[in-house]
Amino acid sequence: MWERLGLIAAFAALFGLAEVRAQAPVSPTVAVDLALIDDIVTGSRILADFGVLDGFGHVSARHPTNPNHFLMARSLAPALVTADDIMEFDLDGNAVDARGRSVFLERFIHSEIYKARPDVMAVVHTHSPGVVPFTISQVPLRAVYHNAAFLAAGAPVWDIRKDFGETDMLVRNAAIGKTLAQTLGDRPVVLMRGHGDVTVGPAVKVAVFRAYYTDVNARLQAQAVALGGEPNYLTPAEGVKADATNLVVLDRVWNLWKMRVAPSLAK
């Protein structure tokens, strides 16, 4: 039996689980608008439904009354996240009330971005299949159409090897997360070499929107490049104008997406 438990612990450590214990149902984080928790849960399910997230990746939101804290799920596949799974963390990545729940190893992606960017209210980390090729090639990811207009501001590529050598590619501590946040700068998206991407926004809905359309844009850009010739990308000015319009009508697509995942949310 002890040998089996050791194997389980080793497996958990390999895949970024900070603790391995039985998960008991708990009440949602107190003193937080349930609508915000619902957005985190819904956003996780939406991105999983579209294949932008699979068994990995996470969605978080800055705490609405305490800007030095943030909310994200316990370590769990995004498609399985419920309100009971949402936990509160400080900006050093410490769980406020863990209650034996396992936490994501890469929570430092979120904590360090919230530290560096007071304007950011939500963060999404994905392993987007469409985006990964742009993290390892010399072709920069650029906005090819209006729904991904936010990419016209540029999407820098962060390379963990530059400062930390050959690692397991995971953002497993604050020092690594800090360099990722620095590379993000004031942009809405940062790519992670051989890993995925991170999108941020002033609300969960915006960060989720950007995560989805970053993946869609990457696939479309790859198709355009394959056709030959230089694609006619959006200019930065077009990007600013189109992005502003998209944010005004964002609830239209959010409500559609929420309807898609409604059956899973009801379980």
Side-chain angles (χ1 to χ4, degrees):
M1 180 185 73
W2 294 111
E3 181 179 356
R4 182 183 177 189
L5 289 175
L7 288 173
I8 293 173
F11 180 84
L14 176 64
F15 286 95
L17 302 180
E19 300 179 35
V20 183
R21 301 181 185 176
Q23 304 298 333
V26 295
S27 300
T29 303
V30 296
V32 175
D33 185 351
L34 291 180
L36 178 59
I37 292 177
D38 181 68
D39 282 349
I40 298 173
V41 173
T42 301
S44 300
R45 300 290 187 97
I46 286 169
L47 292 175
D49 184 66
F50 280 119
V52 178
L53 297 177
D54 50 17
F56 306 98
H58 14 84
V59 177
S60 74
R62 192 187 293 273
H63 195 289
T65 60
N66 183 352
N68 292 318
H69 283 193
F70 66 97
L71 310 171
M72 69 183 300
R74 67 181 175 90
S75 185
L76 187 68
L80 303 179
V81 171
T82 69
D84 288 341
D85 298 311
I86 305 304
M87 300 174 63
E88 183 175 342
F89 297 84
D90 64 25
L91 294 192
D92 289 323
N94 300 310
V96 172
D97 186 10
R99 282 180 270 180
R101 292 171 288 179
S102 56
V103 297
F104 284 112
L105 183 96
E106 290 195 301
R107 63 195 181 278
F108 302 102
I109 292 173
H110 303 257
S111 61
E112 291 302 313
I113 288 175
Y114 288 125
K115 276 184 186 179
R117 291 278 300 274
D119 61 305
V120 167
M121 299 302 290
V123 176
V124 175
H125 168 49
T126 89
H127 300 156
S128 160
V131 171
V132 169
F134 288 91
T135 75
I136 59 173
S137 72
Q138 300 304 308
V139 179
L141 184 63
R142 298 178 62 181
V144 300
Y145 79 133
H146 69 290
N147 281 359
F150 53 88
L151 288 171
V157 179
W158 173 76
D159 187 346
I160 191 172
R161 193 166 59 206
K162 177 176 179 290
D163 292 313
F164 301 98
E166 295 177 327
T167 68
D168 60 4
M169 308 294 286
L170 300 180
V171 183
R172 57 172 53 252
N173 60 50
I176 299 174
K178 183 176 181 179
T179 66
L180 174 62
Q182 289 171 340
T183 301
L184 171 67
D186 62 356
R187 312 291 178 83
V189 180
V190 61
L191 309 188
M192 305 166 69
R193 181 187 63 82
H195 190 150
D197 65 89
V198 178
T199 62
V200 302
V204 172
K205 295 177 183 180
V206 177
V208 169
F209 177 92
R210 288 173 173 170
Y212 172 66
Y213 281 111
T214 295
D215 181 73
V216 174
N217 188 96
R219 295 174 187 271
L220 293 177
Q221 184 178 345
Q223 292 176 28
V225 170
L227 289 173
E230 178 67 11
N232 190 359
Y233 298 109
L234 271 66
T235 67
E238 288 174 326
V240 170
K241 293 177 180 179
D243 191 43
T245 299
N246 290 337
L247 296 183
V248 171
V249 298
L250 189 147
D251 275 346
R252 182 190 306 173
V253 71
W254 181 265
N255 292 334
L256 175 64
W257 291 345
K258 189 170 183 177
M259 183 179 68
R260 283 176 57 110
V261 300
S264 70
L265 292 170
K267 293 179 182 179

